[in-house]
Every structure is written in structure tokens, then in C-alpha cells.
Amino acid sequence: MKLTNPKISICEEKDLLEAYYENEFNNYHFTNNIQKQITISNQTIDSCIFEKIDFNNISFEDVNLIDTIFDSCDISNKTFDDKLIGRVIFKNCKILGTSFINASMKDIVIESCTAKYLNFSNAKITNLIIKDSDLSETTFQETEIKNIELDQVNLYHTEFIKTKLLGVDFSNSTIDNTIFDSYSIKGITIDRFQAIALVGSLGVKIKE
């Protein structure tokens, strides 16, 4: 898959709280955590690297993400509904319960992340790579996906409802108890053992 990486050249080391007070999140590298509760609002975070940042004290309100890398961060339970998310990498992150409902997303990488309970309902996604990550109980409902690559992804009890998956290869990922409706399941690639599990989930008995 041709995927454009974040366009980051030189990032100045910056104190996160200082950037908040200056209301500027462009071309910075953040490595410090803060104890103060803050809300970053009405902002486009552009060409930034967040490294080992715990976002539990940070809320997002009307925030877009462009050319941004999150490395070893905790960004659980954040909301990016209706936002623009472009050329963003989540690596070694904890992303539990984060919402991307109706978001417009392009060139996204989720790698080595704990990313359970995500919600991509009604999102429009182009070029998504997910590697070595746990997306258990995630929701893809009426999601428009163009180009998705899965590699060692745990999709236990994940839902794909009214989401076109034609040509998507699930064969080296875990799809135990994954829910596919008849529209979404058409044209997917699975291995023979996964096929047996899927047939069983439809209530069909296999005679030995």
C-alpha cells in the first residue's frame, strides 16, 4: 500500500504547558508530562511529535491532527468525532475507547498499540495500516474504507456493519467472535480455520 508518512522536518523541543498557553502546536517535539488539567481547543495540531505523553490530564475539543506522531503515549478516551486526521502514526500507544465517529482519515498507521473499544462509525478512511495491535471490541459501522492492511491484529468481538471490506485480508489476524454482517463479509480473505469459525458463528453445523 502506498501511504504518505507524516511530513515532519525539524521539530523544536517544547514544553507542553508552554505550547498550551501560547495556543500553538506546530513543528514541536513534546516529551514532558503535565499535572494540570487542560483542554486543547479549536486547534490543528500540525507537524508535531508526542513522545511518552500521558494525555489523561489533557482534553481535546475541536482538534484536527495533521502530520503528527504519537510514540508511547496514552491517548485513551479522547474524541475526534467529525475531525480531520491526516498522515498520523500511533506507535506503542494505549488508545482505549477513543472515538473517530464521522472523522475524515487518510494515511493512518496504528502499530503495536492497545486500541480496544475504538469507534470508527460513519468515518471515511483512506489508507489505513494496522500492525501487531489489539482492536478488540472496536466498531466499524457504516464506515467507508479504501485500502486497509491488517498484520497480526486482534479483532476479537469487533463489529463490521455495513462496511465494505472487499479484498481485505484477515488471514493472519484474530477474528474470534468478530461480527460481520452479510454486506461487510463479501470478498474478504480468510484462512480455512477462520472459515470454520465463521461458519459456526452463523449457526451452521459442520459434519466431521
Side-chain angles (χ1 to χ4, degrees):
M1 179 192 301
K2 282 190 174 181
L3 184 148
T4 304
N5 289 318
K7 297 177 180 178
I8 299 175
S9 53
I10 299 175
C11 283
E12 176 188 345
E13 293 283 344
K14 187 76 170 181
D15 182 87
L16 187 51
L17 196 56
E18 183 180 351
Y20 165 71
Y21 286 126
E22 294 176 356
N23 196 32
E24 185 177 355
F25 290 87
N26 298 313
N27 296 294
Y28 290 135
H29 183 184
F30 302 102
T31 58
N32 68 296
N33 281 300
I34 60 175
Q35 302 304 316
K36 180 182 176 69
Q37 293 275 348
I38 65 171
T39 298
I40 300 173
S41 60
N42 301 308
Q43 183 70 241
T44 294
I45 296 176
D46 189 353
S47 303
C48 287
I49 299 173
F50 295 89
E51 186 177 356
K52 297 180 180 178
I53 301 296
D54 185 339
F55 284 89
N56 283 324
N57 288 325
I58 302 171
S59 298
F60 291 122
E61 186 177 288
D62 194 18
V63 170
N64 299 301
L65 301 173
I66 305 294
D67 294 315
T68 296
I69 297 173
F70 295 92
D71 185 357
S72 305
C73 295
D74 185 348
I75 44 178
S76 300
N77 300 310
K78 304 305 173 190
T79 299
F80 297 100
D81 297 349
D82 303 294
K83 297 298 118 193
L84 176 63
I85 316 291
R87 298 184 299 275
V88 174
I89 294 175
F90 303 94
K91 186 175 182 180
N92 300 313
C93 288
K94 185 177 179 182
I95 323 172
L96 298 176
T98 297
S99 179
F100 299 96
I101 295 173
N102 205 40
S104 180
M105 308 177 71
K106 186 175 182 180
D107 296 321
I108 309 299
V109 176
I110 299 174
E111 182 176 355
S112 302
C113 290
T114 301
K116 297 181 179 180
Y117 319 116
L118 302 184
N119 194 335
F120 292 103
S121 295
N122 298 107
K124 294 178 175 62
I125 305 173
T126 301
N127 302 338
L128 171 64
I129 295 176
I130 308 174
K131 299 179 181 179
D132 190 30
S133 294
D134 187 354
L135 268 72
S136 299
E137 300 187 65
T138 286
T139 299
F140 293 86
Q141 183 165 345
E142 296 189 56
T143 308
E144 293 183 24
I145 301 178
K146 182 179 180 182
N147 299 330
I148 176 172
E149 183 178 301
L150 305 173
D151 184 8
Q152 301 294 332
V153 182
N154 183 3
L155 296 167
Y156 173 80
H157 223 289
T158 287
E159 292 185 346
F160 293 95
I161 306 297
K162 294 183 179 179
T163 298
K164 188 175 181 180
L165 298 169
L166 182 66
V168 178
D169 189 345
F170 289 85
S171 62
N172 73 343
S173 293
T174 301
I175 55 171
D176 295 347
N177 293 311
T178 302
I179 298 169
F180 298 93
D181 68 355
S182 58
Y183 176 82
S184 304
I185 202 170
K186 291 179 181 178
I188 69 171
T189 298
I190 56 178
D191 67 24
R192 66 177 63 186
F193 301 105
Q194 292 171 323
I196 293 171
L198 277 178
V199 169
S201 72
L202 297 173
V204 177
K205 294 183 180 179
I206 301 173
K207 189 173 182 179
E208 296 183 0

